[in-house]
Amino acid sequence: MRIANILVIAAVLVPLLGSAADKGHKSTLLQYDKQIDGIISQMTLDEKVNMLHAKFMFVSDGIERLGIADIKYADGPFGIREEMQPKGWAGLGWETDKATFFPTGSALAATWSPEMAYKYGTGMAREARLRGKDMILGPAINIQRIPTGGRTYEYLSEDPFLSSRLAVGYTKGVQDNGAAVCLKHYALNNQENNRGTVNVIIGERAMREIYLPPFRAAVEEADAYGVMSAYNKVNGFWCAENDLLLHKILRQEWGFGGMVISDWGGTHSTVGSIKSGLNVEMPDQKYLGQALIDSVKAGKVSEEIINQRVREILRVRLAIKPIPAEKANKEMTSQPAQQKIAYEVASKSIVLLKNEGVLPLKLENKPVIAVIGANATQIMASGGLGAGVKTLYEVTPLEGLKNRIGDKAEIIFAKGYEPVTSRWGRKTPEQLEKEKQEKELTTQKLTNEALELAAKAKVILFIGGDNRSVETEGSDRKDIFLPSGQDELIRKIAEVNPNIVTVLTSGAPNDLNVVNKVSKALLISWFNGTEGGNALADVLVGNISPSGRLPFTIPVKLEDSPAYALGNYPQGKKNADVFANLVSETDPAVKSQIKKEETPKADPNNALYSEESLVGYRWFDTKKVPVMYPFGSGLTYTTFKYANLKTDKEKYGKNDVIILTVELKNTGKIAADEVAQVYVHRINPKVEWPQKELKAFSRVPLNPGESKTLKLEIPVENLRFWNEKIHKWDDDLCKIELMVGASAGDIKLKKEVTLK
Ligand code: BGC
């Protein structure tokens, strides 16, 4: 970062500080500062700098001489990564480092349960501690901006409120159990294509209202100890040296007291990074090693700054007690208590989208059930690039069915299609042609087998979807169609036997046009962890009622989704004028954040977020674009009745809390959980708003016939907007409509109140 730029930004953004600490968070980590002063006073410059970069792939240095232990990182976010070689990406081949594979982010989010997120964090922390780790590289809480995003399965939701509640739960669960979190990837890492070069061009309001809230909530409400800076740039500055994000917002406004580590290989400078607030360069020492010592000696970085960065690391080190080497790795990482949590999360995450009376499965007279689809036996703990768990075990859907009803049904299986395997590696044209011919033959053979089985069965369980080679870190999907010709296969199956229940084990939205039409029931069962197959079988046979709700919208077609509809993604197609206009219309403060010499232009490395806050359902609702399945939707095996929506008052001041009550009754014959959702629509606002926004929700278990009165709260301050003119949160005191429903597309009750 050039000095001139720092000055421009500092001048423009000083007012931002004014909005600081709306909540006045003070990190508990500050309690260690006195003790830390004593430690720092004994350290040499070399020792200090030694703490500011990697020692090994997943370790950064302490100070042995002073009894300060190294910091050991456990890659997450959905299971503790196997023990790695100190300087490479290969595992060490241990036996005891087999961990529990927890359901991935979108599955956790589909529970709509902060309590589940808390338990999840508890389980992750216990396994991290068994392995002697201090900081878990998770939760991954970027907003799911594009349905094709390679890491949608790791991230939580398209909605900031749902993401925030879960991020807080996960963080508290981890940190209450002795480990630190590392919130990632801060910020705006919403695509994988070009993630290491892309520059996100975004206005302040969308950034504050949509993309930053999960990070803010986990810092302010759960005192998160760690943050990982993202690979990308935001408005011209790399995230690892982004003064606005790291210094002004994270530390000064939100009161973050912990340490920021770079994403692996995501550091780009010495002076800029250290001054903006990066604490540890991972997994190298290219910029924060000797180069930093040289910069201090040359007077470009003061020792005060070095001390501050060291202090922030030491705070975390003192808060998290190191585990002595002789105590770590004594037991198998995965243990029954954590496996139980994985089951519980999975069992609450499965989303039933359609059911024409075929579920729960009827098992009289030992029916023949044909399980068709390679996803029935596909392992989801690893595959593709990036996050993966060397899991102790993973119950696949086919195994789950055999476990639960192997004696009550005749289960027959056909693979149906050849699953996608790794997309990495290059092939010659001859190899490709040969593969194509072989594939045609296999496809024919697999289809025939599937059709034969289908003809014999009473019911077909088509188990398809993506897998970890399809949804992967490092690249986005090109489309959202079911891979491996699944649409064609299921069409053919339907001609032979229309009694189809489709289960998709995907972590992100798929195009459902074909499967939805030909299936009598349709479920999403995610990349659902160690116990995923058992949970799915329990739902299919009715041992439990499905109770997951979509954490994202499933569009009719990919092109309807906002970044695609506006031509913002994929980048490169975009007309240069659009960029020019955006920049000329943008508020001066934002404009000046954009590096002068990098005026945005049509370039695959410029990601324009001109949809602003209209992400996910906010776009579909506001623009009245029909969807396949709305955000928040999911059926159960029972029915619920919503009645008597009341508020404690009719008029609310800006510091009040709106208290809503609503009666919910299970009017069916089976126990089930309902997720009541409260959206807010503004009636006569002074600024533009999305048609509606999720502001409260509650997951409630109800026995048959049982009624409960739910109490939900919305602090009026949570209805503020980010005013780009004054760079502060501002009130839009207007009439609002409170909409209570079972999804963004199924509002049951409404009530108007006034904000004054
Ligand atoms: C990912 C991070 C991960 C790190 C270490 C990076 O490529 O973006 O999420 O924690 O690698 O494995």
Side-chain angles (χ1 to χ4, degrees):
M1 193 192 300
R2 310 249 157 91
I3 303 289
N5 280 316
I6 297 174
L7 295 180
V8 172
I9 287 178
V12 173
L13 297 174
V14 168
L16 280 178
L17 308 182
S19 68
D22 289 299
K23 293 217 169 95
H25 166 70
K26 193 167 173 225
S27 173
T28 56
L29 291 171
L30 303 185
Q31 64 179 300
Y32 301 105
D33 280 9
K34 265 225 164 70
Q35 189 183 345
I36 291 172
D37 286 342
I39 301 173
I40 291 181
S41 68
Q42 302 174 59
M43 291 172 72
T44 65
L45 177 63
D46 282 12
E47 281 173 333
K48 292 174 190 170
V49 170
N50 220 25
M51 293 182 70
L52 305 177
H53 56 73
K55 177 179 186 179
F56 301 130
M57 206 63 181
F58 287 98
V59 180
S60 62
D61 234 319
I63 327 139
E64 218 185 331
R65 183 175 71 83
L66 300 177
I68 304 290
D70 295 351
I71 296 187
K72 297 186 176 152
Y73 304 91
D75 211 3
F78 50 85
I80 303 304
R81 194 179 189 137
E82 67 193 290
E83 214 52 40
M84 307 288 282
Q85 291 185 352
K87 301 270 179 190
W89 284 104
L92 283 178
W94 287 9
E95 258 310 300
T96 52
D97 61 349
K98 293 179 184 158
T100 300
F101 164 32
F102 290 92
T104 71
S106 48
L108 173 62
T111 68
W112 286 62
S113 169
E115 293 75 27
M116 277 298 120
Y118 183 90
K119 281 198 184 179
Y120 190 114
T122 302
M124 287 288 292
R126 279 197 214 129
E127 298 205 352
R129 299 305 272 167
L130 282 171
R131 292 269 300 286
K133 309 290 181 200
D134 303 298
M135 180 176 275
I136 292 170
L137 306 183
I141 56 178
N142 296 87
I143 293 295
Q144 296 161 339
R145 174 179 181 241
I146 49 172
T148 45
R151 301 184 87 169
T152 298
Y153 80 94
E154 276 186 80
Y155 296 151
L156 297 167
S157 170
E158 68 183 23
D159 179 75
F161 184 71
L162 177 58
S163 297
S164 299
R165 296 343 303 149
L166 299 166
V168 168
Y170 186 131
T171 301
K172 287 188 174 161
V174 168
Q175 296 194 170
D176 284 354
N177 287 281
V181 295
C182 185
L183 310 173
K184 67 190 191 183
H185 309 85
Y186 184 68
L188 292 133
N189 179 186
N190 310 107
Q191 66 183 67
E192 288 299 293
N193 286 353
N194 304 329
R195 67 175 176 179
T197 48
V198 77
N199 176 24
V200 170
I201 299 169
I202 184 171
E204 272 180 74
R205 186 170 173 201
M207 179 162 89
R208 297 286 190 155
E209 292 181 25
I210 303 293
Y211 296 97
L212 298 189
F215 294 93
R216 179 180 177 196
V219 168
E220 290 187 343
E221 297 175 46
D223 203 19
Y225 292 170
V227 165
M228 185 188 290
S229 58
Y231 282 126
N232 48 287
K233 293 181 186 177
V234 173
N235 290 334
F237 295 97
W238 295 111
C239 287
E241 57 191 60
N242 197 306
D243 200 59
L244 174 64
L245 288 175
L246 297 183
H247 182 61
K248 309 245 163 41
I249 296 180
L250 183 65
R251 292 195 191 276
Q252 292 196 309
E253 278 188 46
W254 299 344
F256 176 69
M259 54 191 272
V260 178
I261 68 175
S262 74
D263 201 342
W264 269 229
T267 311
H268 296 268
S269 69
T270 300
V271 179
S273 305
I274 205 76
K275 284 195 171 170
S276 307
L278 183 68
N279 297 85
V280 185
E281 174 187 8
M282 292 302 287
D284 318 296
Q285 47 175 296
K286 212 160 133 192
Y287 297 102
L288 301 190
Q290 188 57 43
L292 182 54
I293 296 181
D294 295 345
S295 300
V296 175
K297 292 192 172 148
K300 291 187 198 148
V301 175
S302 71
E303 200 153 343
E304 244 340 281
I305 289 194
I306 303 285
N307 288 348
Q308 182 57 21
R309 296 291 94 89
V310 169
R311 177 175 295 116
E312 289 150 1
I313 297 172
L314 283 172
R315 285 176 186 158
V316 177
R317 180 64 288 173
L318 295 182
I320 301 294
K321 303 293 162 243
I323 296 191
E326 66 280 7
K327 292 215 171 131
N329 300 303
K330 292 290 163 228
E331 297 168 56
M332 177 62 78
T333 311
S334 179
Q335 303 209 326
Q338 286 82 261
Q339 295 151 15
K340 195 168 158 244
I341 296 172
Y343 171 81
E344 238 185 297
V345 173
S347 69
K348 292 180 195 296
S349 75
I350 297 164
V351 182
L352 176 65
L353 292 173
K354 173 178 178 181
N355 186 14
E356 290 173 350
V358 280
L359 290 178
L361 292 173
K362 292 162 194 68
L363 299 172
E364 295 86 41
N365 308 324
K366 214 174 180 198
V368 176
I369 299 179
V371 175
I372 300 178
N375 282 43
T377 57
Q378 176 88 49
I379 295 295
M380 299 297 188
S382 56
L385 200 76
V389 187
K390 188 169 101 183
T391 182
L392 179 61
Y393 70 92
E394 176 177 345
V395 180
T396 63
L398 184 61
E399 286 165 351
L401 283 160
K402 288 188 175 160
N403 289 345
R404 295 302 196 250
I405 54 163
D407 55 346
K408 298 193 188 80
E410 190 186 330
I411 299 171
I412 51 179
F413 170 68
K415 194 173 173 191
Y417 56 87
E418 206 51 72
V420 175
T421 48
S422 178
R423 289 188 279 164
W424 308 98
R426 289 196 185 157
K427 298 200 173 123
T428 62
E430 296 74 40
Q431 278 171 321
L432 286 172
E433 181 52 35
K434 189 163 169 255
E435 270 182 19
K436 199 177 143 214
Q437 287 171 7
E438 282 170 6
K439 207 173 141 203
E440 275 161 20
L441 282 176
T442 344
T443 306
Q444 198 50 54
K445 189 173 148 272
L446 292 175
T447 307
N448 291 344
E449 273 171 22
L451 296 180
E452 251 173 61
L453 247 64
K456 286 191 218 157
K458 175 143 183 261
V459 52
I460 291 151
L461 289 182
F462 182 81
I463 306 199
D466 298 333
N467 63 33
R468 296 285 312 282
S469 296
V470 177
E471 293 183 35
T472 172
E473 188 178 325
S475 60
D476 300 319
R477 284 181 295 163
K478 288 201 179 64
D479 56 56
I480 57 172
F481 289 111
L482 290 167
S484 305
Q486 293 177 44
D487 279 346
E488 247 174 271
L489 175 64
I490 200 170
R491 261 203 208 104
K492 288 184 185 151
I493 295 174
E495 285 166 17
V496 176
N497 185 342
N499 211 17
I500 304 175
V501 172
T502 293
V503 177
L504 298 178
T505 56
S506 292
N510 286 119
D511 185 303
L512 301 181
N513 285 290
V514 174
V515 284
N516 193 53
K517 196 165 348 132
V518 302
S519 310
K520 294 215 163 131
L522 176 60
L523 302 100
I524 312 288
S525 186
W526 314 110
F527 299 154
N528 228 344
T530 277
E531 285 283 337
N534 284 336
L536 173 63
D538 280 335
V539 164
L540 290 172
V541 306
N543 293 344
I544 48 177
S545 182
S547 60
R549 303 290 184 269
L550 288 180
F552 47 63
T553 309
I554 301 188
V556 173
K557 54 185 194 306
L558 175 61
E559 294 70 25
D560 292 342
S561 60
Y564 280 82
L566 294 174
N568 289 337
Y569 187 93
Q571 290 96 32
K573 286 185 187 165
K574 196 70 200 169
N575 178 332
D577 295 348
V578 180
F579 283 92
N581 274 339
L582 174 94
V583 176
S584 64
E585 282 167 13
T586 307
D587 185 85
V590 175
K591 228 194 290 182
S592 57
Q593 286 171 49
I594 298 170
K595 264 191 188 175
K596 292 270 176 301
E597 68 272 31
E598 283 188 21
T599 305
K601 48 188 178 295
D603 174 332
N605 286 322
N606 275 330
L608 179 65
Y609 282 37
S610 72
E611 71 277 13
E612 301 183 344
S613 301
L614 299 185
V615 177
Y617 66 89
R618 286 168 167 76
W619 165 264
F620 295 102
D621 282 0
T622 309
K623 300 288 179 189
K624 301 196 167 56
V625 180
V627 301
M628 179 62 77
Y629 284 105
F631 172 78
S633 52
L635 306 170
T636 64
Y637 295 150
T638 190
T639 43
F640 297 102
K641 188 163 183 275
Y642 285 72
N644 274 332
L645 169 61
K646 288 185 189 147
T647 52
D648 60 331
K649 296 197 278 187
E650 297 302 314
K651 290 186 176 155
Y652 295 89
K654 59 183 177 183
N655 298 316
D656 290 346
V657 175
I658 304 171
I659 299 178
L660 296 78
T661 51
V662 62
E663 276 168 31
L664 195 58
K665 181 171 184 187
N666 181 343
T667 46
K669 293 194 176 69
I670 175 167
D673 290 7
E674 173 64 321
V675 180
Q677 302 160 35
V678 186
Y679 296 85
V680 169
H681 165 72
R682 275 90 177 170
I683 291 176
N684 52 354
K686 70 176 181 213
V687 297
E688 271 185 72
W689 287 98
Q691 211 272 336
K692 65 178 180 297
E693 297 188 294
L694 181 73
K695 290 292 168 187
F697 63 88
S698 174
R699 183 185 171 109
V700 215
L702 286 167
N703 286 319
E706 190 183 7
S707 287
K708 278 184 187 157
T709 302
L710 313 187
K711 187 173 153 201
L712 295 129
E713 297 186 357
I714 305 176
V716 175
E717 67 163 12
N718 288 1
L719 303 180
R720 292 175 307 176
F721 71 103
W722 183 264
N723 187 332
E724 294 188 343
K725 296 205 178 88
I726 55 170
H727 314 294
K728 278 187 185 175
W729 291 104
D730 200 0
D731 297 299
D732 188 354
L733 299 176
C734 59
K735 260 202 183 138
I736 61 168
E737 189 168 43
L738 299 164
M739 308 167 118
V740 178
S743 80
D746 184 12
I747 299 301
K748 311 268 190 195
L749 302 166
K750 294 181 184 176
K751 179 161 198 273
E752 266 182 44
V753 296
T754 305
L755 309 180
K756 59 169 180 35

